[in-house]
Structure formats: C-alpha cells, structure tokens
Amino acid sequence: MTFYKFAVGVVLAIAMIAVLTLSALVFSSRDFQFGVAQVAPATNGLVSFRRLAEADAQITQIEAETSGPRGDLLEVEQRIEALDNEAASAEATANEARAQIVGGIAQVEENADVAPAQSAAADMSAQALSSRINTLASRPGLSATDQQQVAALTAQVNQLAQQEEAVDETGAERATLAARQRLISGQVAESNGRILALQQSVVPGTDSFGRIRSEAQSLQALSPLGASAYLAQGHPALLSTMLVLLMGALGSLLYLFPAYLNRPAPVTMAEIAVRLIFGMCAALAFYVLANAAIAGFSIGAGVTQATTSSLLNPFTVSLVGIVAGVLSEDIAKWIQDRGRGIFTQGQISSGAVGAAQAPPPPEAAPTGGLVNNNAL
C-alpha cells in the first residue's frame, strides 16, 4: 500500500466519522420533531425547550404549594371509598339477615295458623320486623318450638337494628366527607386549571406535556454540547433538507468504501470530494422531485392540504437520501431522461418536411464531469 492510498483511506475514515456524527445529530433532532408532531399536531413539531423548562418549573412550584390540599383530597377519597365498601358489605349482610328473619316469621305464622297482616316484602325494616315478632310473641297458644323461634328472631332483629344504625352512621360520615371533598376539590381544581393553562401555552391542543418534557430532557442530556436540542428547535423543512444532504453524503461514502477496497483504479482525493458533493446534489434533487410528485398527486386527488415537512417520517427521508447517494449517477441519468421526456412530449413533425427528413439520432447523455467516474 502506497502512502497516498493510506492517506486516502484516512480521509475516507474521517469523512465517514464526520458524516455519521452530523447525521446522528440531525436525525435525532428530526425524529424528536416528528414524535412531537404526532402527539401534538398543533405544534407542527416545534417546541421551545426554554419555555418547556420554565413551564415545568412553574408547574412544580404550583404542585408544591398545593401539596397539602392534594394529600388531604387523596385521603378523603380513600376514606370515602372505604366507607362505600363497608356500607355495601353491611347492606349485603343486613339483607341476608332480613331474609332469614322474614323466613322465620313466616314459618311461625304458618305453624300458628296466622294470616299475615301484610306481605313479608312490604316493609323489611328492623322496626317493622320487630313489631311482627312482638305480635307473634303475645299470641297465646304458641308451641314451645315456636316460642324458642320467636326468641331467636327477637335477638336477630336486635342485631339487625344495630347493623342498620351502623349503616346510618356510615352514611352520615360519608356525607360529611363528601362535603369536605367538594371544598378541597375546588382548591385543587383551581391549581389544576393554572397547570393546564401553563401546559397549553407551550404544547397546545394536547395533554402530553409530561411526555414531551421528559423526551426533551432526555434529548438534552444526551446531546453533545446541546447540538441536538438546538437543532430540534429549527424548522422541520430545514432539518429534513439537512438530513437528505447528509444521507446523500453517507450514500456516497457507502459507494466509495468498496471502491477503495476492491477497485483496481485507486480512489483519489478529488473523487472523494466530488463524489460527496454529487451524492448530496443527487439526494436533494431526488427529494425535491419526490415531494413534488406527492404534492401533484395530492392536488389531483382533491386533497386540500399537502403533506408538510413536519409529517415526513425521518426514516423515509433518510432512505431517499442514502439511495440517491449510492446511485447518484443513475439518479442523475433518470432525472435527465424524465426531463427530456417532459419537454419533448407532444411535439409533432411539420408536414412533408418532417416526413422527408430522417429523424435525428438520439442525443447521447453527457459523459463528462460528475457522471463519468473515469474523468476523476
């Protein structure tokens, strides 16, 4: 290996490292914008990191100031939930006891051949059941078994009365807690309104402020010298264009590295520089044509709003740039052929003159400069 080839390899390695570093920075910034545009379309992918930090600090301060009422509200809600569970359990137990008492009363009335004055389901409160049991107890001629049954029913009714009293006390406590909950909720709702206003001032039309803030902090933490965070605040159209150019350069390097290793003709310094520039030019041209075609189809289909740069997936943009960089000569030739076809379409020969003259030979594609690698 000659020293010149070694120097060319060093230049290729440095160029690859530089392109990869810049591509990673721009891609991470553009991907952040794309994610923001997905969760908050009103932002168009643009958020101010400074305003995010300021709003987050103010929100933290508001939450700290209202931590007391928030804690009280949480305790009240938990206590109300516990009381509701206790009341439901007590009510279920009371209903089961009522059913047993009513069944016992019906059995005694049947044994004593007594027609009930009212339906057993008419009034099943402890007071009404106690009245029916007392009526049975005062009736003469009850058997010893029925008297024992009446005594047991009396004890059950007394227990049922205690359960109903406990349920009433639980209801009263719950009413007191509900009034306190409404009072504290008003204080917390006022602070929540201030927090929501701060969030909407930075990220309008969404409730994903926390997610965007955490992703912005992660991007800042891993951004070398804050480069990615700085780029993420640029316009999506500019970042997409930068990404296409860098990916075009990356595609050119993907072409040059195998040529450096395997091609008999050595890669020169001039070829590296020209190939990088040519790859970026081809990537940008192909990117513009692709977007123009998409816009044309959108207008033809009656779509009122074409796709904006903030909605372009950075992976798709990168794919366009890399493919155009690797196939830069083919892309240039393809664009040339399509352009010639557009401008020559619809031309007709002028009568007999055109019929008499032989058609001119097709013009060969230019072979100098960038398209011909041998010229390098």
Side-chain angles (χ1 to χ4, degrees), residues 311-367:
L311 299 180
L312 293 177
N313 194 313
F315 290 95
T316 304
V317 175
S318 301
L319 176 64
V320 170
I322 292 175
V323 171
V326 175
L327 304 176
S328 52
E329 287 95 345
D330 297 330
I331 294 293
K333 184 64 170 60
W334 180 83
I335 294 175
Q336 185 183 44
D337 293 340
R338 300 290 83 74
R340 182 182 292 110
I342 292 174
F343 288 109
T344 59
Q345 185 178 7
Q347 292 183 356
I348 58 175
S349 59
S350 56
V353 176
Q357 295 178 351
E363 181 182 355
T367 58

Side-chain angles (χ1 to χ4, degrees), residues 185-207:
S185 296
Q187 301 175 1
V188 175
E190 188 272 337
S191 63
N192 288 339
R194 293 165 56 193
I195 291 175
L196 181 61
L198 286 172
Q199 293 176 347
Q200 293 294 318
S201 66
V202 182
V203 187
T206 181
D207 56 353

Side-chain angles (χ1 to χ4, degrees), residues 232-258:
Q233 300 176 78
H235 197 277
L238 178 60
L239 281 184
S240 295
T241 304
M242 293 174 59
L243 186 59
V244 165
L245 293 176
L246 288 171
M247 291 303 169
L250 180 60
S252 298
L253 290 172
L254 292 176
Y255 171 87
L256 288 172
F257 264 90

Side-chain angles (χ1 to χ4, degrees), residues 18 39 55 57 81 85 89 95 104 106 112 140 150 171 200 215 235 295-296 344 357 373:
V39 299
E81 183 179 1
N85 293 334
S89 177
N95 290 334
V150 168
Q200 293 294 318
E215 292 189 3
H235 197 277
T344 59
Q357 295 178 351
N373 284 329

Side-chain angles (χ1 to χ4, degrees), residues 59-77:
I59 290 172
T60 302
Q61 182 180 359
I62 293 174
E63 291 178 345
E65 293 173 353
T66 58
S67 59
R70 291 178 187 275
D72 294 341
L73 179 61
L74 181 60
E75 292 179 0
V76 169
E77 290 176 347

